[in-house]
Amino acid sequence: MERYTHLQNIQSDIISDKISLPQLVEYYLKNIEDKKHLNAFLEVFTEDAKSAAIGIQQKIKEGKAGKLAGMVIGLKDNLCYKGHKVSASSKILEGFTSIYSATAVERLLAEDAIIIGRLNCDEFAMGASNENSAFGTVLNDADNTKVSGGSSGGCAVAVQADLCLAALGSDTGGSVRQPAGFCGVYGLKPTYGRISRWGLIAYASSFDIIGPLTKSVDDAQILLEVISGADEYDATSSDKSVDAYSQASVSGQKLKIAYIKETIEMNGVQPEVKTNIEKSIQQLRAQGHTVEPVSFDMLDKLIPIYYTLTTAEASSNLARFAGMHYGFRSSNAHDFESTIRKSRSEGFGPEVKRRIMLGTFVLSAGYYDAYYTKAQKVRNLVKQKTDEIFSQYDFIMSPTSPTTAFKIGEKSDDPLAMYLADIFTVHANIAGCAAISIPNGVDNNKMPIGLQFMAKSFDESRLLAFVKNFGSE
Ligand code: GLN
């Protein structure tokens, strides 16, 4: 079976009888089995996927199939899918089955996508290497001693290793883009509010957004088109009309692109990552675009803002996991208080506990203004400064991450070093705007390098059209 990178090719090969959808599903199921050691899937929906393939194959033949017919997709284990388990890769949701589907998931199914399983991630999407999962680390398929990135590590590796065509992840501070960069696939973080968060297990609600990981820009476009749009179940979902992303074009347009000087000059950027972006800048200039350095003197504020605000939001969002209504309950508990205390102590992993404690601290009386309020103010400043750049430039480029995928275990004892892996990605979540990581070559050890482009809010159409042209003009 061909290694498909575009849904369109799958669809045309099914129509011309070159392959059938049941065969394609068998192919992915076999790959999943062969690559079990990567630990990308927490559960495979084998029977569901097989029977959906038969039905959708028929619909394709009758010309009645939806836009995503032929797409076999995996879901990060923080997206609810009715009747299926979901755990956020945490022990605390042990045994929990979703009683409804996320809006994005419903929209996938309505267009005939096949959901093949749920994918490993950092616990409650907190992490940058997938080492925080209660179900083990995900291995990078380019080098099994290296991390996949996180928190959507299972998604990135599943797409990288051709275990499915695409995956839906979530991005609170880089969790779609950073693993996409580490694994050599596309990872899109749409504008905050573009996609409903209904059915996405909340980490930090003013940052969280669902995003696709794909092997092509075309598939990111079609997925975004299907899952975006207003939703009465999420008051923060935007009612702005959804563009026909797959039809957008910027070809022939000469664009203005800024790159943030500090992201290249900063200590700690791997030399090959630096030369990689410098080469891309030259390439864009050779294509007639204007690419200019800008200074963004708030780079060192991004990680503190991100961790102050997201931990505050997480401490509130995660209060519901108390061993009372669902999920894990400690067998050592004997009354109301010990049920909550012991279930949470035994159910959450160390990183989640660290963040709940940090978040509780920054929200506590006496510290609230010094930390939480201040971080909100600085968040606004970052938004303003970013908007200023966007008033003069179409896109902002930077490396997706300072380094390529690092060794498993290398940063796991040093939370600060791990947090710095997100320094370039958290910017878009703090500002709320759109961003994408595209695969852009490899380093000396053949590890993928990601390149990030940020666009103003709701400018996904041009962003996607632009990156599609990048390199091919
Ligand atoms: N790595 C970041 C963190 O640990 C981002 C996570 C995310 O985007 N969900 O919080």
Side-chain angles (χ1 to χ4, degrees), residues 237-299:
S237 68
S238 167
D239 52 15
K240 247 178 147 28
S241 63
V242 176
D243 296 337
Y245 301 107
S246 49
Q247 312 301 317
S249 165
V250 289
S251 93
Q253 290 180 31
K254 300 300 171 211
L255 299 163
K256 278 192 82 183
I257 300 154
Y259 67 90
I260 298 178
K261 267 203 329 254
E262 291 82 354
T263 64
I264 302 185
E265 288 164 4
M266 196 185 90
N267 271 341
V269 176
Q270 188 180 323
E272 294 117 293
V273 171
K274 189 173 167 192
T275 42
N276 181 274
I277 186 168
E278 286 168 345
K279 239 171 69 194
S280 299
I281 291 170
Q282 294 312 333
Q283 195 181 334
L284 286 163
R285 285 182 179 147
Q287 290 170 358
H289 301 297
T290 303
V291 189
E292 291 172 346
V294 295
S295 184
F296 185 74
D297 56 5
M298 299 188 78
L299 199 64

Side-chain angles (χ1 to χ4, degrees), residues 76 78 122 124-129 132 150-152 170-179 203-204 207-209 306-307 310 351 355 418-419 421-422 425-426 429:
K76 183 174 181 177
N78 61 356
D122 283 297
F124 284 98
M126 297 174 184
S129 66
N132 296 336
S151 64
S152 313
S170 65
D171 193 310
T172 305
S175 275
V176 163
R177 289 161 288 153
Q178 186 255 21
Y203 159 19
F207 293 74
D208 295 343
I209 183 80
Y306 174 79
Y307 279 95
T310 57
E351 182 61 26
R355 295 196 192 194
M418 190 71 92
Y419 295 173
D422 303 315
T425 48
V426 295
N429 305 78

Side-chain angles (χ1 to χ4, degrees), residues 57-221:
Q57 168 80 19
Q58 185 68 27
K59 278 170 103 176
I60 296 175
K61 288 287 165 193
E62 290 166 3
K64 291 185 191 149
K67 277 187 185 176
L68 298 181
M71 178 173 278
V72 177
I73 191 165
L75 297 180
K76 183 174 181 177
D77 188 37
N78 61 356
L79 284 161
C80 295
Y81 178 16
K82 188 175 178 179
H84 295 76
K85 285 193 179 134
V86 64
S87 77
S89 287
S90 180
K91 189 176 160 190
I92 207 148
L93 272 167
E94 199 169 72
F96 178 72
T97 299
S98 297
I99 51 171
Y100 61 88
S101 290
T103 300
V105 171
E106 278 186 354
R107 291 180 180 176
L108 289 181
L109 294 170
E111 292 295 340
D112 289 328
I114 295 179
I115 297 173
I116 195 156
R118 57 189 174 97
L119 293 159
N120 204 344
C121 57
D122 283 297
E123 187 176 0
F124 284 98
M126 297 174 184
S129 66
N130 226 296
E131 292 166 294
N132 296 336
S133 166
F135 306 105
T137 303
V138 178
L139 313 186
N140 194 309
D141 195 40
D143 176 346
N144 290 176
T145 66
K146 303 255 168 87
V147 300
S148 56
S151 64
S152 313
C155 295
V157 168
V159 177
Q160 174 191 34
D162 207 27
L163 313 183
C164 47
L165 182 69
L168 279 195
S170 65
D171 193 310
T172 305
S175 275
V176 163
R177 289 161 288 153
Q178 186 255 21
F182 278 12
C183 295
V185 303
Y186 291 90
L188 172 69
K189 175 233 169 294
T191 307
Y192 180 76
R194 180 66 301 183
I195 300 167
S196 165
R197 290 180 293 110
W198 175 254
L200 166 68
I201 296 177
Y203 159 19
S205 308
S206 76
F207 293 74
D208 295 343
I209 183 80
I210 295 170
L213 294 96
T214 57
K215 295 192 232 288
S216 62
V217 178
D218 295 86
D219 288 358
Q221 288 172 316

Side-chain angles (χ1 to χ4, degrees), residues 191-194 238 240 243 433-434 455-461:
T191 307
Y192 180 76
R194 180 66 301 183
S238 167
K240 247 178 147 28
D243 296 337
C433 63
K456 50 175 97 66
S457 293
F458 299 102
D459 204 13
E460 283 86 354
S461 240

Side-chain angles (χ1 to χ4, degrees), residues 352-411:
V352 174
K353 286 183 197 163
R354 176 170 17 246
R355 295 196 192 194
I356 292 173
M357 285 190 279
L358 263 172
T360 308
F361 175 74
V362 301
L363 289 177
S364 56
Y367 294 101
Y368 188 95
D369 281 340
Y371 293 105
Y372 184 76
T373 310
K374 193 171 211 167
Q376 289 288 22
K377 287 185 184 157
V378 190
R379 182 180 196 181
N380 277 331
L381 279 178
V382 169
K383 281 189 193 164
Q384 277 170 23
K385 293 227 167 198
T386 310
D387 285 345
E388 275 166 30
I389 302 177
F390 282 135
S391 69
Q392 294 182 52
Y393 296 92
D394 297 291
F395 306 119
I396 301 174
M397 73 192 283
S398 70
T400 304
S401 312
T403 67
T404 55
F406 42 88
K407 286 258 182 230
I408 292 170
E410 189 182 312
K411 298 186 201 271

